[in-house]
Every structure is written in structure tokens, then in C-alpha cells.
Amino acid sequence: MSITDQIQKVRSEFSSDLEKLSSDNSVLDKIRIKYLGRKGLVSALFVHMGTVSNEERPKMGQALNALKKDIESEIDAAISSSSDSKNQKLLDVDYTLPGDPINRGSIHPLTLVMEEIKSIFNRLGFSIAYGPEIDSDFYNFEALNIPKHHPARDMQDTFYITDNILLRTHTSDTQIHFMENNNPPVRIIAPGRVYRNEDVSVRSYCLFHQIEGLYVDKKVTFAELKGTLDYFARELFGQNVKTRFRPSYFPFTEPSAEMDVSCIFCKGGGCGICKKTGWLEILGCGMVDPEVYKSVDYDPQKWSGFAFGMGIERMAMLKYGVQDIRLFYSGDVRFLRQF
Amino acid sequence: MKVSLNWLKDYLEITESPDDVSDRLTALGLEASYVSTGKTFTDVVLGYVINCGPHENADKLSVCKIDIGDGNHYTIVCGAPNVKADIYVPIAKVGASLQNGSFKIKQAKLRGVESSGMICSGKELEINDDHSGIMILDTDAKLGTPIEDFLEFNDDVIFELDLTPNRGDCLSHLGVARELAINNNLSIPNRKIDFNESKVTNDSDYKISIKDSEACPRYCARLIKGVKVAASPDWLVQRLKSIGQASINNIVDAANYVLMDTGHPMHTFDFDKVSNHEINVRYAKNGEKFKTLDDKERELKDFHLLICDSEKPIALAGIMGGANSEITSDTTDILIESAYFSPTVVRKGAKSLDLSTEASRRFERDTDINGLIPALNQLSALIVEIAGGEIVEGFIDEYPLKKEPFKIDFSLKNCESLLGLSISNEQIEEIFSSLQITFEKDTNLYKCTIPTFRNDLEREVDLFEEVARVIGYDNIPPAHNFSGSYSSFVQDDQKLDSLLRSHLSSNSFHEHFSNSLQSQKDVEKFSKAEAVIIKNPLSQDMEFVRNSIIPGLLKAADYNAKRQEKGFKLFEIGAVHNQSKKSDTGSKEKFQLGLLWYGKEQSHWRTYEQRDIFSCKGEISNLLVSVGIDSISFKLGDQLGYANAMKVYSGKTQIGTLGSLDLAIIKEYGLKISPLFCEISLQTLREIWINRKINYRAPISYPSVVRDIALQVDNKVSAESLLKTIRVEGGTNLVDIKLFDVYQSDEVGDNNKSLAFSLRFQSESGTLTDSEVDDDVEKVLNSLKETHGTTQR
Ligand SMILES: [Zn+2]
């Protein structure tokens, strides 16, 4: 049988198959496979093209392509017409069968919290800056007014690579890197991973994540620090939370403060999570110490500013009620799936 | 630091509730919490044991008849070895509660004998730690009297302060009392110290010489002769106990007490053991050995400061005394040292020996150089009071390097502009006087003199903090607006990362954060770059900083596989490090994106997920294209740790590797199925991304023509090379090529495969005619035949 005849034969067979459809429209898929499937009748004809003479080949090719196109469009038309009769098709196939399984993944809870904090400060005009995880003693301590043999070093157990190189213990190193490379005014937040030489437990891990903030401009005041961080706390934890500032100590800020928010669990009444105080410790902050300006060649007479830093894990634990910090680093998909 | 409320009351009247005191300390920057101590029971009365006999059914129990003065006799079963007839004891009546209600006394039957109450031990009543037997009382009180009526109970409140390192001055009751006095406008009275000195001439000379006045600017001493080392009186034991200090003997306790009271650490030497009665303050020699009174021999360096006699070291200055001059029960003559040591010298010495003591903690945080003599006198008086002896007349005060109080010029205007608050002159002067800061007013400046106990106040800005602290941080109103400078905006180098995250998470990848501290095994498997080593690791498992993103993801895969997860996809974005001589930190930081495909998701009634190298290839291409990175290609290559690997390219730049890992390595990580893996250099990707361009072209309004071609070709010819030929030869009208079928069969032969392409032609200048398209297809087919030996099918 010549190719032309075969094409004709397939065409008429298809027409009669399609007519049967009106009485039994569940066979549409079967028809599609019969003609257009990988081993279908049309594909078979393509295979036979090899036997056609060179002169005839383009013509035959065209005819075959036309056949394929026709069949496709008729099947499509049949599908749309059969779905015209209201919901008939869905009732025929049991529409309660579950839909295609498109699994969702997740963004890590620490990333979620970090992104949320970034976006709050972005609104306040803070850009994002980064510092290295392996840094020198100078950037992590000295330039931040924490000389060697200063008791403040006890506040942070440090992993050392050499006597002078370490795994940074806080993202405050980024302040120095940034100020060294940029002239004031400065308005940045610096997220990143930091390390502490502490035993791993439910409440502490050998590494965690921080966001550091730095704002240096002319005539920046402590009142602005309070206003900014108060706004931040209400954005993150809800408009009804209250903040409290109490004196604290960081060598690179003066005055230094610790900011608490009213406990989001007991609304300030006192519960186990806030240790009955009604307050949750959220971040450390303060006005940038003049010594820090000196180490980056900023004029402390001309510029003032504030800095703050907070732990992402702590925020995430509070926000989602996670009790065991180690879950963040386990990769447990039963944990991750929930975010 | 523990502080007792009763002790604080030696200094000032405190009428507020413990809660309020605690809040006030916290608001002043001394973060406080507290517990109440004292009587922890109810309904415990004085009883008398009328008689006492063995229990029929239990060897160790006795059955006692008890009188508590109410006309009844009670039977109580008691297990204490020291119970006997005719003694007075504390009786917890039925219904009594002990230890703050943690247990209640009920009518009970013990081995068949009814027992109506309990005879209590000191520990059960939390009066002392004695649980060896019941408390036997010696009292004239009437039977039935509540025992709190005749025993004294130390009702107290103990504050636990979490002090910041700058506030060494608050490591004492005096210091905390000074803080509490701030807002109450009270002044702290000096302790009254009464003592008599005796003229003792024989064998009571001693001398002091300081070799390094920077390390030890001042050294004072007093001698007491004829003391009797013994147990401390109850009041002293009680005071020390209330703040968690154990009692040793009267001399040690007295020194400890004055330390906790004034914050000044002093040391007591057995005078007889001080050779030639000479005190020399000098640095140690490198390698010099010294046995401290904890009986540990310590090897010293030349920065350790020593107190020596004429022959040998007798104390590590400011840190710990020596075993060779320690007070023992035979000691009669005592030399008391009250000195000021340099904070840095003590800090360095203590740190290098990993030895932190109550003394070193205070010296490191700096002490009050003017507090030496009052503390010395207080201790001398106390020792004589509780251990007898005579204070030898006079004392030595070697003070080679005079320390002046800090002077600070304070500008109210500067203070106001930093705090964002207006403050009156009266207010500021009141604040200064509450802090014991004296001042002279000089036009716009206050010339302030700082009390020597506040070594943390050195600069004007330190005083700004004091002002804010006394006013109360919460009384400084927050600003209500903000302004910013446009010039402060900078570019975010890692902006791409959040696009990657959101794409991956919506394509069923879970984001993982792994521990970047890893073992030697981890850092040898996937990277030849030498990993950074930590000098003081937490454990051998965490000795290195990761040099590859793979091990962390493998561990997570193993974790999940062991928890019956059959299929999942993970990704991680993080820094990896390797050693690098070129950089200041000796290391180089790179950011990597790692992707891991493990197993298959659960099957579904309609489809099941295909997962193989081609599905991953597709996902990677999709990821990259969706964040705007194009011209993606894959080439075979070798990669450490992989069994099969393809390098991923964008244009000519290699950006990563995709493949399956070495099976032996997989097993080491506990996995049974090999996951597929892709790592991408984020550094490279970020650079490409920053420079990405979208080459916009208006959609063509003329119809397109599609032609399918089926080709038979040798197996060795790659699809990519065919695609390239088609693309090149198809001409400008060829707008799209799809490879829609690949198959092998008997029909095409063992060495051949069949591929079918769909070619779409379209022109911006008009509708294409059949013959135009035919010409293009013909050209493609001819070229394919010539270059790759294809036959058309
Ligand atoms: Zn609470």
C-alpha cells in the first residue's frame, strides 16, 4: 500500500473512531494514544518515510504533517465539546480523586525570620552588608574596643584558627569592615553566621545567626535608637507589644542597652517562657562608642550613631515556639515542611 | 553574684518589696532575679519523747510516744538512729507542710503501726544540712510551742545578679548598696571599725618591696599575732552560707566576708612561713614552678606576678595563695595583704593558667585603690574579734605609683544631643551627687572628679551613660520620626540568593542549614582545597571549617532516610572555606549552593515522579533560567567524590557540577541509595546574575510553520551536536527546536538511534511560504547528513 493510501486509511479510521466517541466519551485518551502516541499509527507512518523516493519525500512529509495536525485539532475539539455538557465529564471520572502531586518545599525558618527582619529595616532605609565568617582578632575584637586581656572577652567563647585569626563571634565585625570601606553616613544591617565555643545543648549550639545594625549620621540620638527599635519590635511581634530598655554593657557601644519586649505568650503577665518576668530579652544595642569611630577613621565629633544586634535563632524559637535549637540544623524534613 | 537583702540592710534601709528591689537593680543595669529564703514549713512544734521502743516488724524503725503539751499522747514511727526517750524534738503534726509545701504530713501506717506525725531532722526543716538524725533541741520553751518561736530563722531574700564585666564595683554588698542608694538620695555610711593596736616589739618587723610598680602600684599589710584558728561563729557561717559560700575556718571566713562585703580581695599569710618576714612583689621567671593552695603545681611565665618572701614565691598575686604559706590550724601569727594589682596583669595570668578565683575576678575588673586600708582595717578588727590575738601597731603602705581619680569634662549640651533629651542643670547636679561624682562648674562645662571605685568611668561618653541610667532609659522618650541619607544606600551582593530560595522552595526543595564545623573525614571527601583547622575545637567531629557544601546535606539525607522518609529534595546556601596563603585571614570564603535529590516521592494514582540525571538536568536548567541565567550547557567531567559528573556551564563559564556520588562514600555516610547532587558556585553565579540582560524582542505577528523531522544516526553522535547543526543551518527563520522523541529498536539496528525534532519557523517580515520552509529544512537535512551521517526516516 502506498503512503498516500495509508494516510487516507488512517484518516478514515480516525473519523469513525471519533464518531463512536459520542456514545462513549471516556475513550478520548485511548484515541489519542492510538494515533499520536509514540508507537501510534501516525508515528508509524513517519517511520515509513524512509522508503519513499527522494522526489516524493517533501510532498509526503507535508501530507503526513497535515494528517498529524488535523488529528490533533479534532481531538482537542472533541475534548472541549464533550466538556460542554455541564460537569458530565467530572462525574464520569470521579472528580474526588486527588490532583497531581506537586510537592511543595520550604524556606528554612531561620531564613524566614531573617528575611522578615531585613524587610522591616529595608523600609527604614537600611541596606544590607556582609562580613566574613573567618576574621581577624582586630575586626572581631580590637577595633570594637575589646582589647586582648579584657574581661569582656569572657562574654564570647571563641574558636581560634591561629592566635590572631578566629571564627567571628558576632556580626559586629561587619561594622568595621563596612566603615573602613565606606564614608558616612551609614545605614546597614548585616546578617550572617557566627560561632561560639559552647557545648551543644537544647538551648545553645556551636554556631548561630545574627543580624547586626549600624546607623551613623549627623546628630543621631539615643531617642532615635529607641524609636527605631521600638518600631521594629512592633512590626515583628505585633503592634501591641511594649518595649523596655535597660542599661547593659558592650565595649563597642556607650551608652549600651538591652531591649526587652513584653512577653508575647502571656502578654506580660508572667509565664514559664519569660521566667515569670513578663519580658523577653530580644536584642542588645547602644550608641556607637567613640573608640570604634577612631579605629575606622571617622570623626567622633562630627558623626554619631547607634548599633544593635540580635540572634535569629532566638527570634525564630520565640516566633514559632521551637524548644530545641538543634532542630534548626538537623535537616529533618518533618520539621522543615512546616514552614 | 549573690547578694543578701539582710546584708544590704547593714548599709541602708530597704522597705520596698523584693520584686521592686529586683526591678530597680535591673533598671540600673544590674540584671537581677531573687529567691526568698527562711522558714519553709508550717505546724512544726516542740515535742517530748516520753518513751521509745523497737518496731516489731522493722529493725531500723522505732516507735515513740510523744507529748506536745495538748493533753494527748501521740504514737510516731521514727527511723532516725539517734532517737531515744527523754529528749526534746521538733514534731511535724498531721497536716503540717514541709519544704515550701513540697510534702505534707498525713496520718500513716508504717509496717503495721499507726504514726501520727513526724520527728524532723535539720535537713527536713531546711535549717541545716544534717540528715544523720533528728534534731535534738535544747530549750526551756513550753511543749507545743511552734519551733520558729524559739529557733532563729534567717528570713532573707537572695538576689542573683548577672553583672556585666564593666561593673566590677558591684561585686560586693557595698557596691550594690551604693547603686540602690542612687534613686533614694541616700548616702552610704562607712562601716564603723573599732580596734586597738598593741605595741608588740619582739619578732614583729616585716618589710615590703615592690619590683614593678606598674603591676603593683600599692601594697598594704598588717600583722596580727596570737590568733586561734577555729570554727567561725554562727552569724558568720550564716552570712556566708546565705550567699552560697562554705565556711572553712574563722580566718579564711573573715577574709571571705570582707571580700563579699567591700569587694576587696585580701590574702592572709602564715607569718611564720614567710622567710625573713620579707614580702617581694616581682614577676615570675619563665618556667618557674609554684604550688598554689589548691595543691596544683603550676608552671609560670614571665608575665605572672608573684608575691615572694626572701627565698620563694608564696602567692600568685591577685589570683591564689601558695600551699607553702597557707593558714593552718597551727597558725598563730597572720600577715594580711591588701594590695592593688593591675587588672591586665591579673587577667593575663589567670587566663593563661585557666584559673579564675573570686579574687582574680575582682582584680581583673579593677578594684578601688583607695579601698585598701579600710578593708585591711575591717578584716584586722574582725579577725581579732572572732579569733583573738593582737593587732600589731602600725601598718605598711607601699604606694610607689600614685593613682589619681579620673577627671572628666562634661558638657551638658553634648549629653543632651546624644541622648535626644533636655536636662536641667539642677537635674544633672543631682545625678552627679547621687553617683558621688564631685564637680566644679566652669562656664559650659562640668569638671568632674570620679570616685575611685568607679574605674569604668573614664570618658565623657561614659558619663552620658550614667546620666541616662540614673534618669532611667525608660524615661527617655523615643523619637517619632526618622530621616536618612540617600548616600547611605549600597548594593546587596546576595540579592540573588532569595530568588534561588523562592524558586527552589516552590519546586519541592527544603532549605537546610547544616553545621559548618566538620570532621577530617568530611573535609577530605569532596574538595582538594585544604580545610581550615580550628585550634580549640569542641570535639574531633568539629575540628574543621567545611570546604564543601556536600557533607552537611549528606548527613541530613541520612538523618531523614533513617526516619522513613522515602523521597525528598534538599538545598543549602552557605559559605565554605579553604586555606589560602594570599589572604589576610589565611583563608578564602566562597558561597555555594548545594542541591540533593534523594529517592522518589510516593507514587500517585496518575503519575509517578521520574527522577534521574535528566530530570535533575531539567530542574537545574529551569532554576537557572528562571533567575535570569541562560546559555546553560552540561559537559562530562571528573569531580572528586563523584561516580558520574557533568559540569554545568553558563556560556563559557563553569558554574557547577551535577552528578551522582561515589558509592563507597555514600555508604560511609550511612546511605543505602545514592542521592543525586548538584553544587553551584554562588560567587560565579552572582557575578553572571548581576550582569544579566533580558534581550527583548517584540512577538512576531505572522503565523509560524512547524516541520517534524525524524533522523536515524549512529549512537555515538550526541543530541547536542545535532541540535547545534540544526540551529546553525536552520537560518534566521528557525525560531524553536524541540527534541520530542528518542528511541532505539531492532528496526534501527543496535548501533543506531532514532531522534525526532520539531522545528518551528517564523519570520518577522511576513508569512512564510511552504517552499521557503522546505528550503530551510532541506538545508538542515543535507548538513546533518554530511556532518553526522544521519539518514532521514
Ligand atoms: Zn510570659
Side-chain angles (χ1 to χ4, degrees):
Chain A
M1 209 191 279
S2 78
I3 288 266
T4 325
D5 291 344
Q6 287 187 39
I7 291 175
Q8 205 45 54
K9 188 173 163 257
V10 171
R11 236 180 231 290
S12 54
E13 196 177 332
F14 176 70
S15 300
S16 76
D17 277 348
L18 209 58
E19 264 162 41
K20 283 186 218 150
L21 191 69
S22 50
S23 52
D24 179 7
N25 66 1
S26 70
V27 291
L28 250 177
D29 272 342
K30 280 184 192 154
I31 293 179
R32 187 195 288 277
I33 291 162
K34 177 176 174 186
Y35 292 92
L36 301 176
R38 178 186 278 185
K39 293 190 173 161
L41 295 174
V42 176
S43 307
L45 288 178
F46 272 105
V47 171
H48 279 106
M49 284 288 280
T51 63
V52 177
S53 69
N54 279 349
E55 306 90 74
E56 271 196 297
R57 193 172 286 154
K59 215 175 112 200
M60 289 298 114
Q62 262 180 48
L64 209 44
N65 274 320
L67 173 69
K68 191 180 166 193
K69 204 172 279 173
D70 289 348
I71 292 178
E72 271 171 356
S73 61
E74 284 193 46
I75 290 177
D76 286 348
I79 288 170
S80 55
S81 73
S82 73
S83 57
D84 280 352
S85 53
K86 246 187 178 176
N87 283 338
Q88 190 53 50
K89 180 130 203 253
L90 283 178
L91 286 169
D92 285 348
V93 295
D94 182 5
Y95 68 93
T96 65
L97 284 168
D100 280 1
I102 296 164
N103 289 309
R104 76 180 266 280
S106 59
I107 291 180
H108 199 280
L110 295 177
T111 305
L112 292 176
V113 171
M114 212 153 2
E115 291 296 327
E116 196 176 346
I117 294 172
K118 276 198 221 166
S119 83
I120 296 169
F121 284 106
N122 272 334
R123 275 204 290 288
L124 295 173
F126 284 76
S127 298
I128 306 191
Y130 304 90
E133 289 176 20
I134 296 180
D135 211 341
S136 69
D137 190 273
F138 174 79
Y139 290 100
N140 195 76
F141 290 127
E142 296 268 346
L144 289 161
N145 193 28
I146 315 172
K148 284 217 159 79
H149 309 300
H150 191 283
R153 291 218 175 184
D154 286 348
M155 295 163 92
Q156 301 174 355
D157 290 318
T158 311
F159 285 117
Y160 284 94
I161 310 293
T162 67
D163 287 346
N164 246 334
I165 313 290
L166 43 78
L167 288 171
R168 67 169 170 192
T169 57
H170 49 197
T171 42
S172 312
D173 66 330
T174 312
Q175 287 186 24
I176 307 298
H177 285 287
F178 191 88
M179 287 193 281
E180 266 190 354
N181 295 316
N182 295 272
N183 288 323
V186 171
R187 193 182 272 243
I188 52 158
I189 54 167
R193 178 171 287 202
V194 304
Y195 299 81
R196 297 280 168 91
N197 197 341
E198 281 167 13
D199 286 330
V200 172
S201 73
V202 173
R203 303 304 288 180
S204 85
Y205 202 66
C206 50
L207 58 88
F208 61 98
H209 298 79
Q210 275 190 337
I211 283 192
E212 182 83 6
L214 175 69
Y215 174 30
V216 179
D217 211 322
K218 284 178 178 147
K219 293 204 162 40
V220 178
T221 66
F222 189 78
E224 282 175 283
L225 170 147
K226 284 189 69 177
T228 303
L229 295 177
D230 185 70
Y231 167 78
F232 161 73
R234 282 185 287 113
E235 282 290 295
L236 190 68
F237 293 109
Q239 290 305 315
N240 295 324
V241 304
K242 295 195 167 42
T243 53
R244 168 175 96 166
F245 290 77
R246 38 189 182 81
S248 188
Y249 171 71
F250 308 103
F252 40 99
T253 52
E254 187 80 24
S256 301
E258 203 80 63
M259 184 177 84
D260 301 339
V261 298
S262 52
C263 179
I264 49 178
F265 301 99
C266 62
K267 308 278 176 270
C271 68
I273 295 165
C274 59
K275 294 191 199 112
K276 304 254 188 281
T277 61
W279 295 97
L280 298 168
E281 199 173 307
I282 292 301
L283 55 79
C285 55
M287 303 304 291
V288 178
D289 194 289
E291 292 301 312
V292 175
Y293 293 132
K294 282 184 205 157
S295 58
V296 295
D297 279 336
Y298 280 17
D299 179 359
Q301 301 300 320
K302 200 166 155 201
W303 303 100
S304 68
F306 60 77
F308 52 88
M310 66 193 100
I312 306 302
E313 273 78 351
R314 174 157 175 80
M315 301 286 178
M317 288 171 97
L318 289 175
K319 210 170 160 69
Y320 304 119
V322 176
Q323 306 281 332
D324 184 344
I325 197 170
R326 293 169 299 188
L327 276 168
F328 291 123
Y329 322 103
S330 65
D332 191 330
V333 295
R334 299 165 305 173
F335 171 75
L336 296 173
R337 247 180 226 131
Q338 301 175 49
F339 298 97
Chain B
M1 164 88 190
K2 282 190 165 67
V3 173
S4 144
L5 181 65
N6 289 345
W7 197 329
L8 288 173
K9 285 177 179 167
D10 285 3
Y11 286 104
L12 75 173
E13 196 184 335
I14 298 170
T15 50
E16 298 158 278
S17 71
D19 223 31
D20 290 344
V21 175
S22 170
D23 281 353
R24 205 143 62 81
L25 288 169
T26 301
L28 284 164
L30 317 180
E31 202 179 336
S33 57
Y34 69 94
V35 284
S36 296
T37 61
K39 184 171 81 86
T40 60
F41 54 83
T42 61
D43 284 319
V44 179
V45 299
L46 181 65
Y48 174 70
V49 183
I50 304 166
N51 61 48
C52 174
H55 190 294
E56 293 181 342
N57 306 321
D59 289 347
K60 291 191 173 152
L61 296 180
S62 313
V63 179
C64 310
K65 192 152 280 174
I66 305 292
D67 182 1
I68 56 170
D70 61 354
N72 298 320
H73 289 174
Y74 297 87
T75 305
I76 292 179
V77 178
C78 180
N82 62 339
V83 67
K84 57 187 181 201
D86 194 27
I87 51 174
Y88 292 88
V89 289
I91 302 293
K93 299 199 285 190
V94 170
S97 104
L98 299 188
Q99 293 166 20
N100 288 321
S102 62
F103 73 101
K104 289 233 180 324
I105 305 300
K106 292 184 196 121
Q107 182 72 31
K109 208 174 212 175
L110 292 166
R111 298 275 179 111
V113 178
E114 283 291 332
S115 181
S116 317
M118 184 171 99
I119 311 178
C120 302
S121 71
K123 181 157 183 176
E124 280 156 349
L125 296 178
E126 297 188 326
I127 291 171
N128 56 41
D129 285 342
D130 189 0
H131 200 47
S132 62
I134 51 171
M135 251 184 130
I136 297 175
L137 302 167
D138 177 18
T139 172
D140 308 331
K142 255 177 61 196
L143 290 182
T145 310
I147 66 163
E148 59 269 29
D149 289 359
F150 57 91
L151 283 184
E152 232 181 89
F153 278 87
N154 190 36
D155 277 318
D156 200 353
V157 177
I158 303 302
F159 296 97
E160 180 73 59
L161 303 182
D162 190 2
L163 291 174
T164 52
N166 57 326
R167 294 308 302 273
D169 63 302
C170 290
L171 286 167
S172 65
H173 285 81
L174 171 62
V176 175
R178 276 194 301 246
E179 288 290 303
L180 282 173
I182 287 175
N183 303 107
N184 292 3
N185 260 329
L186 295 169
S187 60
I188 297 292
N190 289 327
R191 271 192 190 276
K192 266 218 186 80
I193 298 160
D194 291 320
F195 62 93
N196 300 311
E197 291 170 297
S198 316
K199 273 201 158 53
V200 182
T201 44
N202 74 326
D203 197 26
S204 58
D205 280 345
Y206 55 98
K207 58 175 193 217
I208 289 163
S209 92
I210 298 172
K211 298 274 185 286
D212 190 310
S213 60
E214 294 276 348
C216 177
R218 189 175 192 183
Y219 196 109
C220 309
R222 255 190 196 284
L223 179 61
I224 302 178
K225 301 203 83 171
V227 302
K228 193 169 166 358
V229 177
S232 291
D234 280 349
W235 71 265
L236 182 52
V237 174
Q238 192 53 53
R239 276 240 155 143
L240 291 175
K241 190 185 149 203
S242 72
I243 56 164
Q245 299 281 318
S247 168
I248 314 288
N249 60 43
N250 49 7
I251 307 298
V252 175
D253 289 359
N256 219 351
Y257 171 80
V258 179
L259 169 67
M260 295 300 168
D261 188 48
T262 64
H264 204 87
M266 283 172 284
H267 188 67
T268 48
F269 296 102
D270 184 328
F271 192 56
D272 290 339
K273 295 175 189 159
V274 178
S275 303
N276 278 330
H277 297 165
E278 247 182 74
I279 295 283
N280 296 307
V281 186
R282 65 154 170 93
Y283 277 113
K285 291 187 259 306
N286 268 327
E288 189 167 356
K289 295 218 166 61
F290 179 61
K291 197 189 224 176
T292 40
L293 53 75
D294 55 3
D295 257 353
K296 288 204 177 98
E297 175 135 295
R298 302 180 184 270
E299 190 170 316
L300 307 178
K301 299 244 169 59
D302 60 5
F303 53 77
H304 286 113
L305 193 68
L306 286 174
I307 311 299
C308 306
D309 60 18
S310 64
E311 299 166 354
K312 58 184 188 295
I314 51 175
L316 253 173
I319 303 172
M320 194 180 265
N324 56 12
S325 56
E326 199 182 347
I327 306 292
T328 65
S329 52
D330 302 328
T331 304
T332 56
D333 299 348
I334 293 171
L335 186 70
I336 307 173
E337 160 200 291
S338 180
Y340 177 92
F341 299 114
S342 145
T344 319
V345 170
V346 174
R347 163 90 186 163
K348 211 172 155 187
K351 198 81 193 164
S352 81
L353 295 172
D354 198 17
L355 178 63
S356 175
T357 61
E358 293 286 354
S360 71
R361 230 149 58 83
R362 286 170 177 81
F363 282 120
E364 279 172 14
R365 285 161 177 74
D366 214 350
T367 48
D368 179 3
I369 201 160
N370 289 331
L372 300 192
I373 293 169
L376 180 63
N377 290 342
Q378 187 184 345
L379 179 56
S380 305
L382 181 56
I383 288 177
V384 173
E385 181 192 323
I386 64 176
E390 296 174 302
I391 300 173
V392 176
E393 189 182 35
F395 63 100
I396 289 188
D397 180 8
E398 274 291 307
Y399 196 175
L401 192 68
K402 183 122 175 78
K403 199 179 159 193
E404 297 294 339
F406 295 126
K407 306 252 189 216
I408 301 172
D409 288 348
F410 176 93
S411 148
L412 183 55
K413 211 175 115 249
N414 289 351
C415 182
E416 287 178 322
S417 75
L418 188 82
L419 298 182
L421 180 75
S422 61
I423 307 165
S424 70
N425 285 73
E426 292 72 42
Q427 211 180 344
I428 211 75
E429 286 163 22
E430 212 172 280
I431 289 169
F432 285 155
S433 77
S434 75
L435 293 166
Q436 304 186 40
I437 292 170
T438 54
F439 58 87
E440 281 165 46
K441 224 168 143 182
D442 182 5
T443 53
N444 293 320
L445 286 180
Y446 284 96
K447 294 193 162 296
C448 300
T449 305
I450 308 302
T452 50
F453 55 82
R454 288 302 300 272
N455 292 302
D456 58 324
L457 306 181
E458 293 179 75
R459 306 162 303 165
E460 191 183 19
V461 68
D462 299 329
L463 290 184
F464 298 164
E465 178 175 75
E466 286 304 293
V467 171
R469 204 166 70 86
V470 175
I471 289 174
Y473 282 12
D474 280 336
N475 297 323
I476 299 173
H480 290 292
N481 57 342
F482 74 96
S483 63
S485 311
Y486 293 108
S487 56
S488 68
F489 295 114
V490 291
Q491 184 183 289
D492 181 356
D493 299 333
Q494 298 183 9
K495 209 169 180 181
L496 166 66
D497 300 10
S498 44
L499 297 181
L500 295 170
R501 284 190 172 100
S502 81
H503 177 96
L504 288 167
S505 67
S506 34
N507 283 279
S508 67
F509 283 87
H510 296 288
E511 186 181 14
H512 176 42
F513 275 40
S514 65
N515 186 352
S516 35
L517 305 181
Q518 299 182 338
S519 69
Q520 179 150 15
K521 183 189 93 177
D522 296 325
V523 299
E524 281 171 348
K525 296 277 187 293
F526 305 103
S527 171
K528 284 185 199 108
E530 233 178 307
V532 174
I533 309 166
I534 296 166
K535 235 173 64 170
N536 55 336
L538 263 177
S539 70
Q540 274 205 323
D541 289 350
M542 297 193 237
E543 229 181 323
F544 293 85
V545 184
R546 69 177 167 194
N547 60 0
S548 161
I549 200 87
I550 304 178
L553 283 162
L554 281 181
K555 286 175 196 172
D558 174 47
Y559 180 99
N560 285 302
K562 293 212 160 70
R563 283 160 184 80
Q564 299 83 46
E565 292 289 333
K566 303 252 181 285
F568 49 85
K569 302 194 249 176
L570 297 172
F571 78 99
E572 179 168 9
I573 288 175
V576 302
H577 293 84
N578 57 262
Q579 294 189 21
S580 160
K581 296 242 155 53
K582 274 177 269 171
S583 114
D584 291 343
T585 57
S587 64
K588 192 165 166 20
E589 177 175 283
K590 291 180 285 192
F591 275 82
Q592 295 284 112
L593 163 64
L595 301 107
L596 173 143
W597 292 261
Y598 180 86
K600 287 194 167 77
E601 305 274 355
Q602 271 192 317
S603 50
H604 187 265
W605 68 277
R606 241 157 77 93
T607 53
Y608 73 93
E609 202 188 352
Q610 288 247 25
R611 185 170 294 158
D612 55 25
I613 196 84
F614 296 103
S615 71
C616 296
K617 234 178 128 173
E619 287 188 67
I620 295 298
S621 304
N622 183 32
L623 167 70
L624 294 172
V625 169
S626 82
V627 297
I629 286 164
D630 50 18
S631 314
I632 313 297
S633 62
F634 297 83
K635 292 193 178 63
L636 272 190
D638 280 336
Q639 179 74 18
L640 187 66
Y642 284 76
N644 298 291
M646 282 191 273
K647 305 280 176 171
V648 188
Y649 285 82
S650 164
K652 290 207 165 75
T653 315
Q654 189 191 320
I655 54 176
T657 305
L658 166 67
S660 56
L661 300 178
D662 196 318
L663 229 62
I665 295 178
I666 294 308
K667 284 199 185 113
E668 275 188 59
Y669 282 91
L671 288 165
K672 295 204 175 69
I673 336 176
S674 175
L676 286 153
F677 214 94
C678 179
E679 44 186 324
I680 287 176
S681 158
L682 268 185
Q683 234 74 28
T684 317
L685 207 60
R686 285 171 187 160
E687 271 165 45
I688 301 174
W689 184 77
I690 293 281
N691 299 313
R692 76 200 180 284
K693 272 201 196 82
I694 291 173
N695 292 313
Y696 167 76
R697 282 169 73 193
I700 299 170
S701 50
Y702 302 102
S704 65
V705 179
V706 175
R707 289 292 163 81
D708 292 347
I709 54 174
L711 303 167
Q712 188 172 315
V713 69
D714 191 286
N715 272 336
K716 292 200 182 78
V717 178
S718 75
E720 197 178 23
S721 61
L722 295 176
L723 279 165
K724 195 176 167 194
T725 304
I726 297 171
R727 198 175 298 119
V728 171
E729 299 298 329
T732 49
N733 293 337
L734 177 59
V735 291
D736 190 31
I737 315 163
K738 282 211 166 56
L739 173 55
F740 70 87
D741 198 19
V742 178
Y743 82 99
Q744 281 173 305
S745 69
D746 297 343
E747 218 176 320
V748 295
D750 279 349
N751 298 327
N752 291 325
K753 58 186 170 187
S754 168
L755 295 96
F757 297 89
S758 181
L759 280 53
R760 177 182 295 270
F761 295 89
Q762 202 170 16
S763 166
E764 282 171 338
S765 50
T767 307
L768 292 169
T769 63
D770 276 348
S771 70
E772 281 174 296
V773 176
D774 288 346
D775 287 349
D776 285 342
V777 172
E778 196 62 34
K779 214 176 140 209
V780 167
L781 288 173
N782 286 338
S783 179
L784 284 170
K785 190 172 183 179
E786 267 171 45
T787 331
H788 305 293
T790 57
T791 53
Q792 206 191 349
R793 305 183 48 227

